[in-house]
């Protein structure tokens, strides 16, 4: 009974955390932050969990310290789609 209660509490906490917005702190330090998006695919293997059969794909956002922004460069969102 205690195990079932523990699993129920854990699942409830995971659901609560999943429904909350994640707020990241503003980057600090002497460098600006650059971001790039990479899409890696593996045509040799199919993805059994994909809605439509096809090659495996992984999308990665990579943040890195960058040189100071030039006046002509636009500022983008810290998290895409937010």
């Amino acid at each position: 009974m205690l195990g079932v209660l523990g699993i129920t509490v854990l699942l409830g906490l995971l659901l609560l955390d999943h429904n909350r917005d994640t707020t990241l702190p503003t980057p600090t330090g002497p460098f600006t932050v650059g971001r790039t998006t990479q899409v890696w695919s593996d045509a040799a293997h199919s993805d059994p969990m994909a809605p439509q059969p096809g090659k495996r794909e992984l999308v990665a956002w990579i943040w890195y310290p960058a040189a100071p922004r030039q006046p002509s460069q636009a500022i983008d969102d810290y998290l895409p789609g937010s």
Side-chain angles (χ1 to χ4, degrees):
M1 184 69 173
L2 187 59
V4 171
L5 178 64
I7 291 174
T8 303
V9 168
L10 178 63
L11 290 175
L13 290 173
L14 286 173
L15 181 64
L16 183 71
D17 185 56
H18 178 71
N19 290 332
R20 267 192 316 189
D21 286 337
T22 301
T23 304
L24 298 175
T26 302
T28 61
F31 297 101
T32 58
V33 177
R35 185 190 75 221
T36 185
T37 303
Q38 297 289 322
V39 179
W40 297 308
S41 61
D42 181 5
H45 297 93
S46 63
D47 187 356
M49 302 298 283
Q52 297 177 357
K55 61 186 174 185
R56 285 186 183 176
E57 290 188 342
L58 174 68
V59 178
W61 298 327
I62 302 169
W63 289 269
Y64 55 91
R69 183 177 68 89
Q70 301 298 321
S72 62
Q73 293 175 320
I75 295 176
D76 203 357
D77 292 331
Y78 189 61
L79 286 175
S82 59

